[in-house]
């Protein structure tokens, strides 16, 4: 058997490399990108905003209905909650215990939730402070009525 010359070895190497490259391109064209481990999706940033606290009026002088608009972001498939309490508009001292309302499971990455709260009507001007919490109990946002209830 004849031994390959250096020039012959270089030629054989070039043909082999060319063939390997052609096979790699053909495999990519036929099968798409090689299976790579999926990149983990980053957890969405969880946040909330108390956008509005609006009176809906009183049907009974002892209670006031209030609509709260809260925007939750990053909680798709999970639930948040609201906590609220009344405070005196003049002294800013709390006038009630804190109440809690859990949200339904949120269907979208960004969800506007508009619950209606029924609160006792005190005899002095008052406001409502509302705080949004994530499913882990972490405070996400706080807001209050932009006016005094009378």
């Amino acid at each position: 058997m004849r031994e390959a010359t250096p020039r012959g070895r270089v030629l054989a190497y070039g043909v082999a490399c060319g063939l390997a490259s052609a096979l790699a391109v053909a495999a990519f064209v036929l099968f798409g990108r090689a299976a790579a481990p999926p990149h983990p999706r980053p957890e969405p940033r969880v946040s909330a905003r108390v956008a509005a606290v609006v009176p809906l009026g009183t049907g009974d002088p002892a209670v006031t209905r209030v609509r709260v608009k809260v925007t939750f972001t990053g909680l798709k498939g999970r639930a948040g909650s609201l906590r609220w309490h009344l405070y005196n508009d003049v002294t800013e001292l709390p006038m009630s215990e804190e109440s809690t309302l859990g949200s339904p499971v949120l269907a979208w990455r960004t969800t506007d939730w508009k619950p209606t709260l029924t609160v006792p009507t005190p005899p002095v001007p008052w406001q409502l402070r509302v705080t949004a919490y994530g499913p882990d109990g972490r405070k996400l946002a706080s807001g209050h009525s932009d006016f005094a209830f009378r």
Side-chain angles (χ1 to χ4, degrees):
M1 198 153 126
R2 217 170 101 180
E3 198 169 315
T5 64
R7 182 171 177 222
R9 276 186 273 202
V10 169
L11 182 63
Y13 178 76
V15 169
C17 287
L19 184 59
S21 295
L23 287 174
V25 168
F28 181 78
V29 169
L30 291 175
F31 303 110
R33 175 176 257 173
H39 295 290
R41 290 185 155 217
E43 282 291 316
R45 191 172 76 82
V46 174
S47 64
R49 182 172 69 95
V50 178
V53 179
V54 181
L56 296 178
T58 59
D60 177 354
V63 295
T64 301
R65 292 171 12 114
V66 179
R67 167 80 35 93
V68 177
K69 180 182 176 192
V70 180
T71 302
F72 285 105
T73 302
L75 291 181
K76 180 178 180 180
R78 297 184 286 171
S81 64
L82 294 181
R83 296 182 196 163
W84 75 91
H85 69 272
L86 304 174
Y87 67 93
N88 187 305
D89 186 48
V90 176
T91 65
E92 297 189 9
L93 294 174
M95 297 173 56
S96 71
E97 296 290 319
E98 190 171 74
S99 298
T100 302
L101 177 66
S103 78
V105 173
L106 304 171
W108 306 101
R109 189 176 51 148
T110 299
T111 305
D112 289 334
W113 181 40
K114 301 173 188 168
T116 299
L117 310 177
T118 302
V119 298
T121 306
V124 297
W126 57 280
Q127 290 200 43
L128 190 68
R129 180 168 316 282
V130 179
T131 306
Y133 290 87
D136 58 358
R138 187 170 53 97
K139 180 180 174 180
L140 300 176
S142 189
H144 61 86
S145 49
D146 296 331
F147 52 85
F149 292 92
R150 307 248 180 244

